[in-house]
Amino acid sequence: VLDGDEILYVAKRESPDPLRLTVEVGRRLPAHCTALGKAILGFRPAAETRRLFGRRKQLRRFTPDTITDPRELIEHLEGILRTGVAVDREELVPGLRCLAAPVLDFTGYAVAAISISAPAVTLSEERVAELRPMLMEAAGEISKALGGPGDPRRPAR
């Protein structure tokens, strides 16, 4: 879930793979450079995102791939609206990639997100394309249970 300009992990499921990411429930990470954060921000009111990031001259850089320009981040979020998913391409941690989809409530806005994180060597662009429909379906089922749309590209706003 989004808490200010951070993501707060409220649940997790560990991968059975021997090489995996471990994030503790209760952990906070910056929203601007995580797939979870970008999935939520992309499906929140634009004014909220501008309030959180628009006044800053620069966002914190974690890797060479981190988006640090607030205007570039806002433009990036517009693309997420079209595709329905966000991807972290080693923006927070080198060697780590993540794919996330928003969970929408009855207003059509994101209240949470779900994700798949993996080492970059195992989460290639091809693998992202394979996992995208399954992740969107899972997020859609949760969204429907909250009265939201099943497909984030068709919000119930």
Side-chain angles (χ1 to χ4, degrees):
V1 297
L2 187 65
D3 186 19
D5 63 354
E6 296 179 315
I7 290 302
L8 172 63
Y9 282 82
V10 296
K12 71 173 184 171
R13 182 171 177 197
E14 292 288 342
S15 169
D17 291 340
L19 184 58
R20 63 179 174 249
L21 168 71
T22 300
V23 177
E24 305 82 27
V25 170
R27 174 91 189 250
R28 294 174 180 275
L29 294 173
H32 75 279
C33 58
T34 60
L36 287 165
K38 294 188 297 180
I40 295 172
L41 292 169
F43 286 86
R44 295 293 306 156
E48 181 180 334
T49 303
R50 283 193 298 277
R51 181 179 52 78
L52 286 171
F53 299 104
R55 293 188 182 134
R56 299 180 192 181
K57 293 183 190 247
Q58 189 146 354
L59 304 172
R60 184 173 173 200
R61 178 179 302 280
F62 291 88
T63 75
D65 297 312
T66 305
I67 297 172
T68 59
D69 182 335
R71 289 181 303 256
E72 185 180 337
L73 174 65
I74 290 168
E75 289 174 16
H76 180 76
L77 297 175
E78 291 171 6
I80 293 167
L81 272 172
R82 288 188 298 277
T83 63
V85 297
V87 180
D88 164 1
R89 293 179 172 89
E90 302 183 64
E91 296 167 48
L92 179 64
V93 176
L96 177 68
R97 297 189 75 201
C98 184
L99 173 68
V103 172
L104 310 178
D105 69 3
F106 68 95
T107 66
Y109 289 119
V111 293
I114 62 172
S115 69
I116 299 169
S117 298
V121 297
T122 61
L123 194 55
S124 65
E125 289 299 323
E126 295 78 21
R127 187 71 177 134
V128 165
E130 291 172 17
L131 294 170
R132 181 181 310 228
M134 291 179 273
L135 185 65
M136 288 181 70
E137 182 180 341
E141 289 176 18
I142 299 167
S143 295
K144 283 191 235 178
L146 297 174
D151 185 336
R153 295 167 297 180
R154 293 180 184 79
R157 295 185 187 166

